[in-house]
DNA sequence: GACGCCGCTTCCGTCACGCGGAAGCAGGGC
DNA sequence: GCCCTGCTTCCGCGTGACGGAAGCGGCGTC
């Protein structure tokens, strides 16, 4: 994280050092990670805190402030999307009691925006706010299938992680699966990411032009075949319902 | 929103102009609201966009970017609290099918952090990310009951909105209600905010010292008396469960 | 209790970076 | 074609940001 030397850039660099794994850190840790001088860091941090972007713990460490969360929650592809989708994810969860997830594509990755995980569902590795590659999951498959060409090519040309023996890494097969995803308006991931778990995902359209930028997915344990195929309809219906609400909103804005 | 004249401050001022009601705006709108010169605004906005804090719509308007949402989601009292609480709110919702809400206190107000609202529940006015005064709601009563003295005094001395004929505005009565809230570890709001709706709320403890900084609440329509009293136990249990998880987390951090 | 270490805070002189007026540009309405 | 509005780019001036260094305070050590 080199110094671009612009004042606002330093502030953003400071904010960027906070992650889910490192939600709070001391002044010198921030200084180290940003490469800024300690005194500079101090000034920037103090100013951010004054505005409410950062807060201080009793121990003197710093963490992201509620004010910044509030502003971040105005993100159309973040909290606002989440707010619209949650009731439908809710319904879906109640029927299935499995993990329900919502993600948006950001470049060649996806960011998890919402997740409903009751106590009875499979334990998942992903977290809200986390980034994840597109390959290897049903949600990623959906996002990739409807992504612009350059994104698709970049991903298919890039490195591919093999998570399980079932992970598909052959570009030709992947292309066929993407075509199939577009045809069926939904993707199924059979143990490609984790052994014993199967995912089903469907596209959510947002924006004025109805572009697909989000995906709704469900993850279930151990089942294959007919049981999974039955999940397609509720998932598709929920995704379509969310898209409809978003479309209406865009119109009335 | 006067100019404090510091560079980072201008960037923050720009971010601060985005609200739920105004999620996207043009360059000149931002310039007007911040009081910055157009060229300055342009430079700042461009830089924020480059980092990912802002994004541009096809129409040329600006809105909060996903990157900022990601950073905001690292807020302990925001998304992280939400992630811990959601499964329990989930369970509570499934039993009741009523609105379940989570809020944290920020000064003399509260900020809604999470909300589960199925299609069958009462329509509420509040939104996730919104601020709200403490008086007049069960959740606010809980937050006020456990707030530092100076906050409590400030609120009781301040102006009080009367929402319905049932709204309590007498400081003496309010003090008695706060004491009762602490005694019962939960608050009940009988039609003080909206006619025909009743709220029940319980404290959530977070932070190392187990301070109460959040409240879990439920809002139901039309009922009073015994039906409401029965809600106290599940709400209390859920709030306690969330507090426990948060306590353990703080220990292992 | 004195010493030293470490991390945070404050100070201040220098200098480059941010500032905003003004000019240029693109769209679109009359 | 003209004007008007809103966005973008340019550039010289002056001020606010920079970071080295000194000061401070808490804590562990001898």
């Amino acid at each position: 994280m080199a110094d671009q030397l612009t004042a606002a850039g330093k502030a953003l660099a400071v904010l960027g050092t906070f992650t889910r794994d490192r939600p709070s850190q001391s002044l010198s840790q921030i200084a180290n990670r940003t490469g800024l001088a300690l005194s500079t860091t101090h000034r920037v941090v103090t100013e951010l805190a004054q505005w409410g972007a950062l807060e201080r713990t009793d121990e003197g460490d710093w963490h992201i402030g509620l004010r910044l969360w509030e502003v971040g929650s105005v993100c159309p592809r973040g909290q606002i999307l989440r707010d619209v989708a949650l009731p439908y994810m809710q319904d879906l969860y109640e029927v299935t009691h499995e993990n329900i997830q919502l993600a948006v594509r950001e470049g060649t990755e996806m960011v998890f925006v919402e997740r409903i995980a009751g106590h009875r569902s499979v334990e998942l590795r992903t977290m809200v706010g986390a980034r994840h590659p597109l390959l290897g999951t049903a949600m990623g498959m959906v996002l990739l299938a409807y992504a612009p060409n350059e994104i698709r090519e970049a991903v298919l040309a890039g490195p591919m992680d093999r998570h399980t023996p079932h992970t598909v890494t052959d570009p030709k097969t992947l292309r066929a699966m993407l075509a199939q995803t577009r045809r069926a308006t939904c993707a199924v991931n059979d143990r490609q990411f984790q052994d014993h778990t199967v995912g089903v995902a469907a596209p959510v359209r947002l924006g004025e032009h109805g572009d697909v930028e989000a995906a709704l997915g469900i993850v279930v344990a151990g089942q294959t075949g007919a049981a999974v195929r039955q999940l397609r309809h509720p998932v598709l219906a929920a995704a379509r319902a969310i898209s409809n609400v978003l479309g209406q909103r865009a119109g009335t804005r």
Side-chain angles (χ1 to χ4, degrees), chain A:
Chain A
M1 196 158 298
D3 38 0
Q4 318 306 347
L5 291 177
T6 132
K10 288 173 210 279
L12 293 172
V14 166
L15 294 180
T17 61
F18 290 86
T19 65
R20 279 278 160 145
D21 309 324
R22 210 179 328 103
S24 69
Q25 40 189 348
S26 71
L27 186 69
S28 41
Q29 285 176 316
I30 300 174
N32 279 334
R33 272 198 65 84
T34 53
L36 299 175
L38 197 58
S39 55
T40 305
T41 311
H42 181 259
R43 190 166 18 83
V44 171
V45 162
T46 306
E47 190 169 3
L48 287 171
Q50 189 177 331
W51 186 79
L54 293 181
E55 291 169 4
R56 193 157 204 192
T57 66
D58 299 342
E59 291 83 23
D61 283 0
W62 300 91
H63 61 83
I64 297 290
L66 193 61
R67 182 76 200 280
L68 193 67
W69 178 84
E70 282 183 66
V71 172
S73 80
V74 178
C75 177
R77 299 195 294 154
Q79 202 75 11
I80 291 182
L81 168 60
R82 189 213 81 98
D83 286 351
V84 171
L86 191 59
Y88 298 95
M89 296 174 69
Q90 191 59 43
D91 295 345
L92 203 50
Y93 174 79
E94 238 178 295
V95 177
T96 59
H97 287 108
E98 302 286 354
N99 286 282
I100 315 291
Q101 291 179 305
L102 184 69
V104 302
R105 183 177 61 76
E106 171 90 335
T108 58
E109 296 177 308
M110 59 180 170
V111 175
F112 287 94
V113 167
E114 177 59 303
R115 144 110 161 274
I116 297 188
H119 295 115
R120 309 168 225 182
S121 13
V122 203
E123 190 75 18
L124 288 190
R125 303 189 216 150
T126 51
M127 278 191 313
V128 168
R131 280 171 182 266
H132 199 277
L134 292 174
L135 288 175
T137 66
M139 297 175 76
M141 183 68 72
V142 166
L143 291 173
L144 199 54
Y146 292 94
N149 273 324
E150 62 267 26
I151 297 288
R152 190 156 47 241
E153 295 308 322
V155 170
L156 290 176
M160 303 190 184
D161 293 339
R162 171 169 287 281
H163 307 288
T164 75
H166 300 92
T167 307
V168 177
T169 55
D170 172 40
K172 208 171 161 187
T173 315
L174 282 169
R175 269 180 220 280
M177 290 168 75
L178 288 170
Q180 169 60 23
T181 299
R182 278 187 294 268
R183 221 174 298 128
T185 346
C186 93
V188 175
N189 167 19
D190 188 356
R191 292 164 292 167
Q192 283 195 51
F193 184 55
Q194 283 183 300
D195 268 323
H196 315 299
T197 67
V198 179
V200 179
V204 173
R205 293 168 191 282
L206 39 91
E208 314 72 64
H209 312 306
D211 302 335
V212 172
E213 293 187 27
L216 180 69
I218 188 168
V219 178
V220 304
Q223 307 170 4
T224 50
V228 170
R229 234 167 285 133
Q230 286 192 350
L231 286 173
R232 287 173 43 186
H233 293 100
V235 172
L236 261 166
R240 218 176 282 129
I242 297 169
S243 305
N244 280 342
V245 175
L246 289 169
Q248 286 167 21
R249 270 213 175 183
T252 59
R253 198 188 298 153

